Amino acid sequence: MGSSRWKVAAAAFLAIVGSLLPVDADEHEHTYTEKEEVVLWMNTVGPYHNRQETYKYFSLPFCAGSKKTISHYHETLGEALQGVELEFSGLDIKFKDEVMQATYCEIDLDKAKRDAFVYAIKNHYWYQMYIDDLPIWGIVGEADENGEDHYLWTYKKLEIGFNGNRIVDVNLTSEGKVRLVPNTRIAMSYSVKWKKSDVKFEDRFDKYLDPSFFQHRIHWFSIFNSFMMVIFLVGLVSMILMRTLRKDYARYSKEEEMDDMDRDLGDEYGWKQVHGDVFRPSSHPLIFSSLIGSGCQIFSVSLIVIIVAMVEDLYTERGSMLSTAIFVYAATSPVNGYFGGSLYAKQGGRRWIKQMFIGAFMIPAMVCGTAFFINFIAIYYHASRAIPFGTMVAVCCICFFVILPLNLVGTILGRNLSGQPNFPCRVNAVPRPIPEKKWFMEPAVIVCLGGILPFGSIFIEMYFIFTSFWAYKIYYVYGFMMLVLVILCIVTVCVTIVCTYFLLNAEDYRWQWTSFLSAASTAVYVYMYSFYYYFFKTKMYGLFQTSFYFGYMAVFSTALGIMCGAVGYMGTSAFVRKIYTNVKID
């Protein structure tokens, strides 16, 4: 455990040093010369139905080959956070050099080792390996029909396809079924066969993708259905609001021509009556502005990462998606500071340094707090998901030395460039009393109902995303994800605008939190859907997987809610400013 804690720091040092030195061709470059070393990495082993519950390959009493040293080791921050535990197999493999079946080690099977293998077989353990960043999966063993005798696969038959000087295909066949009997010796063997392949290097990951699943007719239909919902909703909102607002403008213009007695006798009501309070600062402005800033940053991160994933095919590299997300999140910290700081300044906030700290550390604290809690369970299970100490230090350094300074820059820019409260209406010194209204116009009811339509536009895509993360699918259709993100934003803005208009028409000016929470309530429905997915779509079990699933689903749902809330508020804020700018106010 002590050496693994500093693995990330050592890897970072070696990466810096290695960048200054000449580098031989290897799996970093994905090119090889004749008889050059090809490394077979053993990654993790774990139960098939609990994808996130993984352990080091050699936590089971497997034995390693005789070769002890290789030319390079490497690990990225994303790999460390995802529980990737690459260990050298000890097998001597050279490019285009075939190996006939050969024994590479023997296992002295005492009772303890036999019990470990039997437990793994009963729980359907399988392991993962890598050759040239191509994943390979194999099953530990199997039981007979009665479940009394258990057998271990002892022969790894590797067939590697190459195209020129690149590896483009790897297949594993497990053979040599041996019955597990205590106090015996089991010989582990392997063979390597090289074959020429016509697969292009750029297309070598296609075999791992599942077009029949992700490009199924129901996926296209869901996108089309959501798109039609957007057209209908935007048209409906435009028609209702334009028609209603036109009547409102006409009535208010007519009221301008009345004398004072007629206006007093007239029926005054509607959204114009709260013009002196509609731009009043929200309650708890420090927390509110921090949430808006964080939501804008999450939206920026989502948009940029999806675009990068569409262009670069991030799924082909271990941990690259998570590493990219961390880098983009750190780099977009000025967005958080700009929107959060400017909004806090507009609302008259004076403790801007405190707001900056809360905005900068809100999301990292939530993610790290959840990961820290789950980490205790992972350590108890001795799982590879336990985050090493060196990785924790690296993440803390990113927060304090990258995210915080950039957030400070954004906050200063936001306060100076757009921090003036240039509202189209003056704010009254004394708040206007809020009249009674029907129960369905209460903010609490609006908040609960506001997330239904946005959730309805994305819940099919949620199934595909959940299946990719919690099951053995590689998500690669980021074009679909981009469309769903755009649809989600449009639906969210339309719904919050309608909710805000009805709220203001009821002469309730508490629209800031209402617009944010009505949009953010989408996350509540997503989290409720995650319960359905866990119990009816998976076969997960155990404390580790359950805590891992619901812990990180809570983080995902909260981040989604903050993003949707910020998008809903920004759209609604523009709408409110627009309608009150076009009204003559005495």
Side-chain angles (χ1 to χ4, degrees), residues 87-254:
E87 297 178 283
F88 180 43
S89 62
L91 301 186
D92 190 9
I93 302 175
K94 293 182 173 61
F95 189 65
K96 296 185 182 179
D97 188 13
E98 296 201 352
V99 179
M100 303 301 291
Q101 183 174 357
T103 300
Y104 63 87
C105 68
E106 291 185 343
I107 302 174
D108 292 322
L109 195 68
D110 56 21
K111 186 178 184 303
K113 292 180 179 178
R114 179 189 180 276
D115 291 343
F117 279 125
V118 168
Y119 177 83
I121 292 170
K122 284 183 177 179
N123 287 275
H124 308 287
Y125 273 43
W126 67 343
Y127 55 86
Q128 187 183 51
M129 307 182 296
Y130 282 99
I131 286 183
D132 195 53
D133 288 345
L134 289 174
I136 319 162
W137 293 273
I139 193 165
V140 172
E142 65 177 33
D144 61 5
E145 295 180 357
N146 300 323
E148 297 177 356
D149 293 327
H150 298 84
Y151 299 88
L152 181 72
W153 295 109
T154 63
Y155 176 29
K156 293 180 177 63
K157 190 175 181 181
L158 292 166
E159 190 175 82
I160 306 175
F162 65 92
N163 189 342
N165 60 349
R166 294 176 179 268
I167 294 175
V168 295
D169 186 31
V170 181
N171 290 297
L172 171 69
T173 304
S174 297
E175 297 181 358
K177 188 166 68 174
V178 174
R179 183 167 169 264
L180 294 172
V181 179
N183 303 317
T184 58
R185 293 176 67 87
I186 298 180
M188 305 296 291
S189 59
Y190 80 110
S191 66
V192 180
K193 182 179 181 181
W194 294 86
K195 66 171 185 177
K196 193 172 183 180
S197 174
D198 295 328
V199 177
K200 295 180 180 179
F201 179 79
E202 297 78 14
D203 302 329
R204 65 178 190 157
F205 258 86
D206 290 355
K207 63 175 287 188
Y208 301 104
L209 309 180
D210 191 353
S212 61
F213 176 76
F214 285 105
Q215 298 185 35
H216 193 273
R217 187 178 300 172
I218 191 65
H219 202 172
W220 286 101
F221 179 75
S222 69
I223 297 294
F224 177 76
N225 188 46
S226 299
F227 184 69
M228 294 304 295
M229 180 193 296
V230 166
I231 295 177
F232 172 75
L233 193 58
V234 170
L236 186 64
V237 168
S238 302
M239 183 181 67
I240 291 176
L241 293 186
M242 289 302 101
R243 190 170 180 179
T244 307
L245 288 174
R246 192 181 298 114
K247 289 182 179 180
D248 290 340
Y249 285 131
R251 184 176 71 248
Y252 294 139
S253 298
K254 186 177 180 181

Side-chain angles (χ1 to χ4, degrees), residues 299-356:
F299 174 76
S300 302
V301 172
S302 303
L303 188 65
I304 294 172
V305 170
I306 292 174
I307 293 174
V308 172
M310 292 170 61
V311 175
E312 294 294 331
D313 292 338
L314 295 180
Y315 59 85
T316 61
E317 298 289 339
R318 291 186 305 269
S320 58
M321 179 64 74
L322 184 56
S323 298
T324 302
I326 293 173
F327 172 79
V328 172
Y329 184 86
T332 55
S333 295
V335 174
N336 188 336
Y338 183 88
F339 286 98
S342 62
L343 179 60
Y344 188 61
K346 286 178 182 177
Q347 297 194 348
R350 298 185 180 274
R351 296 180 294 174
W352 68 272
I353 296 179
K354 183 177 180 181
Q355 185 276 325
M356 180 200 67

Side-chain angles (χ1 to χ4, degrees), residues 264-435:
D264 292 337
L265 294 174
D267 186 15
E268 292 190 359
Y269 64 93
W271 53 269
K272 185 185 175 184
Q273 309 309 313
V274 294
H275 66 82
D277 297 279
V278 73
F279 294 107
R280 187 176 301 281
S282 63
S283 59
H284 310 289
L286 190 147
I287 299 297
F288 184 74
S289 56
S290 299
L291 285 169
I292 297 301
S294 298
C296 293
Q297 184 182 9
I298 295 172
F299 174 76
S300 302
V301 172
S302 303
L303 188 65
I304 294 172
V305 170
I306 292 174
I307 293 174
V308 172
M310 292 170 61
V311 175
E312 294 294 331
D313 292 338
L314 295 180
Y315 59 85
T316 61
E317 298 289 339
R318 291 186 305 269
S320 58
M321 179 64 74
L322 184 56
S323 298
T324 302
I326 293 173
F327 172 79
V328 172
Y329 184 86
T332 55
S333 295
V335 174
N336 188 336
Y338 183 88
F339 286 98
S342 62
L343 179 60
Y344 188 61
K346 286 178 182 177
Q347 297 194 348
R350 298 185 180 274
R351 296 180 294 174
W352 68 272
I353 296 179
K354 183 177 180 181
Q355 185 276 325
M356 180 200 67
F357 273 95
I358 292 177
F361 292 125
M362 178 180 290
I363 300 300
M366 176 187 68
V367 175
C368 293
T370 305
F372 188 71
F373 168 74
I374 295 175
N375 210 42
F376 279 114
I377 300 175
I379 291 172
Y380 174 77
Y381 275 79
H382 303 287
S384 67
R385 288 281 175 176
I387 302 173
F389 177 74
T391 306
M392 293 183 183
V393 172
V395 172
C396 290
C397 289
I398 291 173
C399 291
F400 284 102
F401 299 114
V402 180
I403 292 177
L404 185 59
L406 291 178
N407 201 289
L408 173 61
V409 172
T411 301
I412 294 174
L413 290 174
R415 291 178 60 84
N416 287 282
L417 296 180
S418 61
Q420 299 301 317
N422 53 343
F423 302 126
C425 306
R426 294 192 306 270
V427 178
N428 295 337
V430 179
R432 175 190 176 93
I434 299 174

Side-chain angles (χ1 to χ4, degrees), residues 50 53 373-374 377 380-381 534 541-549:
N50 284 359
E53 184 182 342
F373 168 74
I374 295 175
I377 300 175
Y380 174 77
Y381 275 79
Y534 180 86
Y541 60 88
L543 172 65
F544 178 85
Q545 186 65 26
T546 302
S547 60
F548 196 97
Y549 178 88

